[in-house]
Amino acid sequence: MAEQGLQQDLAADLLGWYAVHARVLPWRARSGARPDPYRVWLSEIMLQQTTVTTVKDYFNKFIALWPNVESLAEASQDEVMRAWAGLGYYARARNLHACAMEVAGRLGGRFPETESELRTLPGIGPYTAAAIAAIAFGQPVAAVDGNVERVMSRLWAIDTPLPASRPEIRQLAASLVPHPGAGDFAQALMDLGATICRPRNPDCPACPWQVTCRARARGIAGTLPRKAPRRKIPTRRGVAFWVEREDGAILLRRRPEKGLLGGMMEIPSTDWLEGGVSHIAPPLAADWIKGAAQVDHTFTHFHLQLEVWRAQTSTLPLTAGNHVWVHRDSLHSEALPAVMRKIIAAMIPAPA
Ligand code: SF4
């Protein structure tokens, strides 16, 4: 554990750097202004597993459509999913809407201020709760994500590989959080990790912690954080069915609410199984062209290889309630997960 004087110096150095170098981001409060918890929460949910550059446009779109938590709560889940389309990790969008309804309803429009209360809301895990508590409400808590793990590992030259080093990293990060100033400290640490203490080629000469940093002193910054060897992930296989009606409509299906990509629209497919599917049952009888395309996609826990079968039909609407026909020109405005967009790209190549 770092001693108190050193902790205070490190916090002051980082805040001094942040006062000059803070990134201008659409969800950040102007200097001296009170942060809006709605904007902080919305941005933190969007930033989970997504880059700042991608999030900016989506954040601005959401704020234009739904400027506060009450208006977001009043939107339908479909509207929210549609606006979210392309951001990925769609459970976030469903939880975002559920959380907005809970805050606007049960909580009277006010986000709770503490980390523990925030964690009771849909879609708010430990990191997001800490980030919102610190940034929106100034609570003296450390928000530790992969970026902060990297910076702390280097600052203290932690040799233990992740994830075993996590408790130590959390303790060290927490010991640096100033009070007041916890919100700026959290954002400063995010900025330092994103712009200076980058995964590759950290810019140590520009770093406010360069004098204290142990990894820099030992010349090992680029090798940290150490990581335990990655576990190999399995490959699942399946068949997707691309059905085109004579008028150019494509058959889509809504996935079950629970489970992977729950509630999202998809190109109908078989189950996705390790070793592939033994029984292939297309959604309708037609002259199927097998192997029209092959699409690969990697989820967190498995690789997916989908063979796409193609058919044309003059059959009119399928009666099953979870199927819809969408014209091929309108597919881009559907809230489709990334793997389905890959199928569309394979089946409707972009014009040259
Ligand atoms: Fe990261 Fe270099 Fe700063 Fe150390 S001195 S915290 S390695 S950027």
Side-chain angles (χ1 to χ4, degrees), residues 1-76:
M1 175 80 68
E3 71 272 14
Q4 202 177 2
L6 176 58
Q7 294 160 5
Q8 288 168 351
D9 287 350
L10 285 167
D13 288 345
L14 184 63
L15 290 175
W17 172 84
Y18 183 68
V20 178
H21 298 284
R23 289 176 295 175
V24 176
L25 300 171
W27 47 87
R28 281 194 175 159
R30 286 188 314 280
S31 177
R34 256 180 96 85
D36 176 354
Y38 173 67
R39 295 169 74 95
V40 174
W41 162 73
L42 180 60
S43 64
E44 287 300 333
I45 300 294
M46 288 183 165
L47 286 164
Q48 293 167 359
Q49 285 115 358
T50 310
T51 64
V52 164
T53 312
T54 305
V55 166
K56 279 182 187 170
D57 286 347
Y58 282 89
F59 177 83
N60 288 332
K61 175 164 75 170
F62 269 66
I63 290 294
L65 286 167
W66 304 297
N68 49 47
V69 73
E70 289 82 5
S71 55
L72 180 59
E74 282 169 15
S76 70

Side-chain angles (χ1 to χ4, degrees), residues 92-103:
R92 290 185 297 170
R94 282 195 307 282
N95 283 328
L96 184 89
H97 189 234
C99 183
M101 291 203 293
E102 197 163 334
V103 172

Side-chain angles (χ1 to χ4, degrees), residues 151 154-155 192 196-197 202-204 207-210 213 215-216 221:
V151 177
R154 291 172 175 173
L155 179 62
L192 189 76
I196 303 289
C197 197
D203 187 5
C204 299
C207 180
W209 286 345
Q210 59 181 283
C213 179
R216 173 173 158 82

